[in-house]
């Protein structure tokens, strides 16, 4: 798959994004197990949870990031889909009664409500192992790069990433937290997967070693901004997911109030943009895409 790396938001931007989304959805569909047998509930739940209408922000970012670094080929799509499978697994677990106890996700009943908690746990494990299998079997890459990609994904999921962030959020979020503690948790819970995406884009593009930390700085700023956006969403109903799940939890919104969080979010977005510009210049699609995701979000206006 190739894209015009110099594309601005004006020239065919929307169509280009629609094409990317379509290729991601098609490949996810192929990578998920068939669910012809309706009693095969884990397969059905894997498909329904992953193919439900999400933004596909992580695979889109990965594809744009890699393209801007000169990578053209299938590995970007495979990796983007693997990250989306990890993300889907995390949402299934996050919604469970022992965690957020949510009833709605992507506008649909959560997996444990529809299929039962047993199926939800098994679905998350199956999505996660499918993700690692996809990364490990990308033939167009050298075994060394493939191994590094598996390591990047493993670090993002485990005790240096989502798992630690989620644990801190569940347990420490019940009492007052300092701003630095909330930021650290958000970085693990939400920023780690963005960090993995940028590292993956960097690894498959054989880019300059100096570019890697700039992409990581971008991911940290994006993670902070995105978690603030998600926390603000908790206050308003868009029919996509439950409201009020953060009530009684210490977040930036409970610490600073919504207006200050909106301001802080803009600071993180500007910092993210500054890092992007260092690598991709002023007019690359990735910056336009990031702005578009946040501009669409009425909660931050
Ligand atoms: C084993 C993968 C795995 C995880 C275990 C449950 C858990 C640890 C982590 C949960 C982390 C989590 C849910 C963080 C929140 C990230 C976030 C802001 C999600 C919302 O993402 P969007 O808005 O969702 O991109 P869509 O539906 O558009 O894809």
């Amino acid at each position: 798959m190739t894209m015009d790396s110099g594309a601005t938001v004006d020239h065919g931007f929307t169509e280009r994004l629609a094409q990317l989304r379509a290729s991601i959805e098609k490949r996810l569909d192929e990578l998920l197990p068939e669910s012809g047998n309706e009693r095969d509930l884990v397969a059905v739940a894997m498909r329904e949870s992953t193919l439900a209408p999400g933004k596909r922000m992580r695979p889109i970012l990965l594809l744009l990031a890699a393209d801007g670094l000169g990578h053209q080929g299938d590995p970007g799509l495979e990796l983007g889909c693997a990250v989306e499978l990890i993300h889907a697994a995390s949402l299934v677990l996050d919604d469970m009664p022992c965690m957020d106890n949510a009833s709605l996700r992507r506008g649909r009943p959560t997996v444990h409500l529809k299929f039962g908690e047993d199926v939800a746990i098994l679905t998350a494990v199956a999505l996660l192992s499918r993700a690692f299998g996809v990364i490990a079997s990308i033939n167009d890459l050298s075994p060394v790069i493939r191994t590094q990609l598996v390591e990047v994904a493993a670090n993002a999921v485990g005790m240096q990433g989502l798992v630690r962030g989620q644990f801190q959020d569940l347990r420490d979020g019940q009492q007052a937290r300092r701003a630095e503690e909330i930021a650290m948790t958000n970085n693990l819970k939400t920023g780690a997967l963005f960090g993995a995406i940028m590292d993956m884009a960097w690894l498959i593009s054989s880019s300059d070693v100096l570019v890697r930390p700039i992409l990581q700085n971008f991911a940290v700023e994006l993670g902070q901004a995105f978690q603030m956006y998600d926390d603000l969403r908790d206050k308003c109903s868009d029919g996509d997911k439950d409201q009020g799940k953060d009530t009684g939890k210490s977040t930036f919104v409970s610490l600073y109030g919504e207006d200050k969080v909106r301001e802080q979010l803009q600071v993180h977005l500007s910092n993210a943009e500054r890092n992007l510009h260092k690598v991709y210049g002023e007019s690359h699609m990735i910056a336009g895409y990031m702005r578009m995701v946040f501009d669409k979000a009425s909660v931050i206006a």
Side-chain angles (χ1 to χ4, degrees):
M1 183 189 326
T2 63
M3 287 173 279
D4 173 4
S5 297
T8 65
V9 288
D10 306 308
H11 298 109
F13 180 73
T14 317
E15 294 91 297
R16 207 69 76 72
L17 281 182
Q19 280 169 8
L20 284 184
R21 275 189 70 94
S23 60
I24 292 160
E25 308 259 344
K26 178 169 176 290
R27 190 62 189 134
L28 282 172
D29 184 86
E30 290 164 358
L31 291 171
L32 287 160
E34 286 179 16
S35 60
N37 178 357
E38 61 187 29
R39 291 177 57 212
D40 195 356
L41 293 183
V42 175
V44 176
M46 286 172 78
R47 295 188 70 81
E48 288 195 7
S49 56
T50 307
L51 298 175
K55 289 185 282 302
R56 313 293 177 221
M57 182 182 173
R58 293 155 189 81
I60 290 175
L61 275 175
L62 198 155
L63 283 165
L64 294 177
D67 177 75
L69 297 173
H71 168 81
Q72 289 165 358
D74 292 336
L77 183 60
E78 295 298 285
L79 289 168
C81 289
V83 171
E84 186 68 14
L85 293 170
I86 292 172
H87 172 58
S90 78
L91 299 182
V92 171
L93 290 178
D94 186 48
D95 288 338
M96 289 194 63
C98 57
M99 300 203 189
D100 265 14
N101 195 19
S103 53
L104 204 62
R105 173 67 71 178
R106 294 177 169 172
R108 297 179 180 178
T110 46
V111 172
H112 66 273
L113 273 189
K114 181 159 179 191
F115 298 98
E117 289 182 38
D118 49 355
V119 172
I121 292 172
L122 295 172
T123 297
V125 173
L127 288 171
L128 206 53
S129 36
R130 184 71 181 119
F132 281 95
V134 168
I135 300 173
S137 46
I138 303 177
N139 286 323
D140 303 357
L141 297 171
S142 73
V144 172
I145 296 291
R146 254 184 288 159
T147 308
Q148 288 175 345
L149 290 164
V150 170
E151 191 185 6
V152 165
N155 287 340
V157 170
M159 287 301 280
Q160 299 166 56
L162 270 74
V163 167
R164 182 178 290 281
Q166 181 77 348
F167 174 70
Q168 288 179 354
D169 210 37
L170 289 169
R171 297 298 172 99
D172 303 344
Q174 301 308 316
Q175 62 244 353
R177 286 186 284 188
R178 289 181 292 119
E180 306 83 71
E181 292 171 314
I182 299 174
M184 177 72 80
T185 296
N186 291 353
N187 190 37
L188 294 167
K189 190 176 96 155
T190 304
L193 216 44
F194 291 128
I197 286 165
M198 301 316 283
D199 239 4
M200 287 175 174
W202 180 81
L203 277 167
I204 58 174
S205 321
S206 319
S207 286
D208 193 314
V209 72
L210 296 174
V211 165
R212 193 176 199 177
I214 306 174
L215 295 178
Q216 288 306 302
N217 290 340
F218 160 71
V220 169
E221 298 292 345
L222 177 63
Q224 292 296 331
F226 199 67
Q227 189 53 53
M228 286 180 172
Y229 150 73
D230 203 60
D231 291 346
L232 287 166
R233 273 178 83 197
D234 187 67
K235 297 271 171 203
C236 69
S237 168
D238 55 8
D240 190 44
K241 56 188 257 195
D242 297 342
Q243 259 183 283
K245 285 288 153 196
D246 290 347
T247 306
K249 181 170 152 186
S250 64
T251 65
F252 277 127
V253 175
S254 67
L255 189 65
Y256 291 141
E258 290 179 48
D259 288 346
K260 175 98 190 288
V261 170
R262 285 192 186 93
E263 273 173 37
Q264 283 292 316
L265 193 159
Q266 292 302 334
V267 172
H268 287 299
L269 268 189
S270 300
N271 293 342
E273 235 157 21
R274 197 164 336 106
N275 283 293
L276 275 187
H277 291 165
K278 284 186 201 165
V279 176
Y280 297 102
E282 294 284 325
S283 64
H284 191 267
M285 242 181 120
I286 189 168
Y289 175 67
M290 190 188 70
R291 269 287 160 194
M292 193 200 81
V293 168
F294 285 92
D295 286 349
K296 268 192 176 174
S298 53
V299 289
I300 70 163

